[in-house]
Amino acid sequence: MAADHEHPYVPRDLKLPGYVPCFLSQLEIVAPYLTASVVVVSLVWLLSGRCAKLSMTERLLMCWWAFTGLTHIILEGYFAFSPEFFKDKSSFYLAEVWKEYSKGDSRYVGRDAAIVVVEGITAVLEGPASLLAVFAIASRKSYSDILQFAVCLGQLYGCLVYFFTAFLEGDNFSTTPFYYYAYYIFANNIWVVIATVIAIRSWKNITSAFRDDKPKRS
């Protein structure tokens, strides 16, 4: 039997029997993701323009929820249900994504229990709920703001668990400072910032609706 390849992850004594190095370069992994994201956002933006009476903010929200929903379902869903992605020898794109991302947080390739649970919940619940938010905004459903607020809380809770468990475990899971700040800090804080902004907006809309409804019930 051939010897296992040496992995690049931290800690160096992390056991990954059967590990197969990335076949694709960082550019070959990141560029398709960014391109696909731009295509999704552009399509939703164009299609949302055909919906009557949608504001620019609502159209932007539809773009975000479509992007984040597909990211949760496809990327995080693959991770959650593919425990041996690091052994992939076929250069399958999604396996390559997680081999690369694990350079910023080796808990993924090491199948840390907290990470698997958070990502599994995100993929199964928050992913479909995000896509439902696209429909809710487009069709002006009464539950739109409540749904968006709930999904944002789920995303923020997941981010808190993600960052705090890393802190409690020593926060030493990145191969270099570049991967630490680019993948672990920057990429994840996009969800922290945007989810916070949307949650505040949704909360204001919900409380405003209750205030407006009070005279009708008195």
Side-chain angles (χ1 to χ4, degrees):
M1 183 176 66
D4 291 336
H5 294 280
E6 183 178 356
H7 68 72
Y9 308 113
V10 175
R12 298 299 302 144
D13 60 356
L14 179 65
K15 302 299 182 183
L16 296 175
Y19 168 75
V20 176
C22 283
F23 291 95
L24 303 179
S25 68
Q26 183 184 54
L27 180 61
E28 291 172 321
I29 293 171
V30 175
Y33 175 69
L34 294 178
T35 301
S37 299
V38 170
V39 170
V40 168
V41 168
S42 299
L43 285 175
V44 174
W45 176 260
L46 291 173
L47 292 173
S48 66
R50 307 178 72 174
C51 298
K53 299 180 180 179
L54 285 181
S55 67
M56 180 178 293
T57 299
E58 289 171 322
R59 293 175 66 191
L60 288 172
L61 285 171
M62 288 176 64
C63 292
W64 165 253
W65 287 121
F67 159 75
T68 193
L70 292 174
T71 296
H72 290 333
I73 293 170
I74 298 172
L75 285 187
E76 292 161 277
Y78 174 81
F79 165 77
F81 299 103
S82 302
E84 297 187 337
F85 68 85
F86 61 87
K87 298 181 181 180
D88 181 76
K89 299 178 181 179
S90 66
S91 71
F92 180 56
Y93 178 74
L94 295 179
E96 295 291 287
V97 167
W98 290 110
K99 289 180 188 179
E100 174 67 18
Y101 181 79
S102 294
K103 295 175 184 177
D105 188 347
S106 64
R107 293 179 298 168
Y108 280 81
V109 74
R111 303 299 291 179
D112 179 89
I115 296 298
V116 174
V117 170
V118 167
E119 295 291 14
I121 292 173
T122 299
V124 173
L125 297 181
E126 294 172 22
S130 296
L131 298 184
L132 179 59
V134 177
F135 168 76
I137 295 169
S139 52
R140 295 189 171 279
K141 296 296 183 182
S142 58
Y143 59 79
S144 176
D145 284 305
I146 295 175
L147 174 63
Q148 292 179 72
F149 184 73
V151 178
C152 286
L153 287 186
Q155 291 176 328
L156 290 171
Y157 177 76
C159 288
L160 284 174
V161 171
Y162 180 67
F163 286 120
F164 275 102
T165 52
F167 174 77
L168 293 174
E169 294 172 7
D171 199 12
N172 183 32
F173 303 102
S174 301
T175 57
T176 67
F178 168 79
Y179 288 111
Y180 179 82
Y181 287 104
Y183 292 176
Y184 177 72
I185 297 295
F186 175 74
N188 288 288
N189 272 288
I190 291 174
W191 269 264
V192 173
V193 172
I194 295 180
T196 300
V197 171
I198 296 176
I200 292 172
R201 176 185 182 275
S202 297
W203 178 255
K204 288 181 178 178
N205 288 344
I206 293 168
T207 55
S208 176
F210 275 105
R211 282 197 303 270
D212 293 342
D213 190 48
K214 279 185 178 180
K216 299 177 184 179
R217 295 184 297 175
S218 59

